[in-house]
Amino acid sequence: MSDVYLTQLINISLWEVARWSATAFQFHPTGECPPVLGIAFDDADAGREIFSEWVAMFGNDDQFEEIRVSIIEGDLPGQRPGYTVHISPDPVSIAARATAEGIALDPKIILLGRFNRMHPPTDSPPLLARFKEEVRRHGEYLLAPVTRRSDDQLWTDVEFGIVKSSIQFRDVSDIGQDDLDACVMSAGLIPPGNSAL
């Protein structure tokens, strides 16, 4: 593990090409399987490459939960009602793995993340609420790339998916200045999907 290893979780140039445009929730018709948290990319190949790199680094189960996912609900200045999905390295998990491998990390390393603000219509089904319920019931979910097909339907590339058990469900009122999710507070000022410190 190295500084390069840490910063490559968010390959900025690849994310710029992929263009994270939406977040999708998918559920088994009878609820027998864990839900899917889909990251929808405009460029399918680049999106799959992002996940392919993650699988190479962390495996298909992210055993140490080094990919941190949070969903933050609540109003933001200059934004319509909605929620923000934030993906970043988990500094605690990464430091624990590094220590186990005999590596001391520089605590001043800046870990880049990406976030996407979603504005579901008021008359849409409560997909986020159902996702939260399904995650609590199953204790895990699949994080996977999603692309929009020519017929405008979303396609989930489950073969590039990563099984995760950790996710942070939060409210903007709980986020302080030095919080890992503080970057979402500026979501009204930064174009969707942009890097955040």
Side-chain angles (χ1 to χ4, degrees):
M1 185 180 296
S2 66
D3 293 0
V4 172
Y5 173 87
L6 287 174
T7 57
Q8 280 186 344
L9 187 140
I10 301 297
N11 183 331
I12 294 175
S13 59
L14 193 54
W15 279 82
E16 292 297 330
V17 172
R19 294 183 306 279
W20 180 6
S21 57
T23 302
F25 301 109
Q26 295 180 334
F27 312 98
H28 189 275
T30 62
E32 294 177 13
C33 298
V36 175
L37 174 57
I39 305 303
F41 296 105
D42 290 339
D43 187 301
D45 292 335
R48 284 190 291 266
E49 189 174 345
I50 286 170
F51 274 78
S52 180
E53 287 183 357
W54 284 354
V55 169
M57 285 190 281
F58 310 116
N60 284 104
D61 61 356
D62 190 15
Q63 179 182 359
F64 296 98
E65 294 291 346
E66 292 171 270
I67 302 171
R68 182 179 183 275
V69 179
S70 57
I71 299 179
I72 303 99
E73 298 179 79
D75 293 336
L76 293 175
Q79 289 284 317
R80 301 190 312 275
Y83 59 87
T84 307
V85 181
H86 182 212
I87 298 176
S88 66
D90 187 302
V92 175
S93 298
I94 288 174
R97 180 174 171 185
T99 300
E101 295 179 1
I103 299 169
L105 295 181
D106 181 350
K108 297 178 182 176
I109 291 174
I110 296 175
L111 302 178
L112 293 177
R114 300 290 278 195
F115 62 85
N116 185 271
R117 181 78 176 165
M118 296 294 296
H119 307 283
T122 55
D123 59 349
S124 66
L127 298 178
L128 176 55
R130 182 176 174 191
F131 176 74
K132 291 164 72 172
E133 178 184 334
E134 293 289 322
V135 168
R136 291 188 182 106
R137 188 157 70 89
H138 290 282
E140 63 182 21
Y141 63 99
L142 183 72
L143 180 66
V146 172
T147 52
R148 195 175 302 278
R149 301 186 304 198
S150 57
D151 61 0
D152 210 36
Q153 295 297 307
L154 296 178
W155 175 262
T156 303
D157 289 303
V158 294
E159 63 270 28
F160 293 94
I162 298 173
V163 176
K164 293 189 58 60
S165 58
S166 176
I167 187 167
Q168 310 297 317
F169 294 117
R170 311 192 65 192
D171 189 273
V172 293
S173 62
D174 301 324
I175 297 173
Q177 183 176 355
D178 296 325
D179 194 286
L180 287 172
D181 291 315
C183 61
V184 307
M185 303 303 288
S186 60
L189 306 174
I190 302 175
N194 268 15
S195 292
L197 300 181

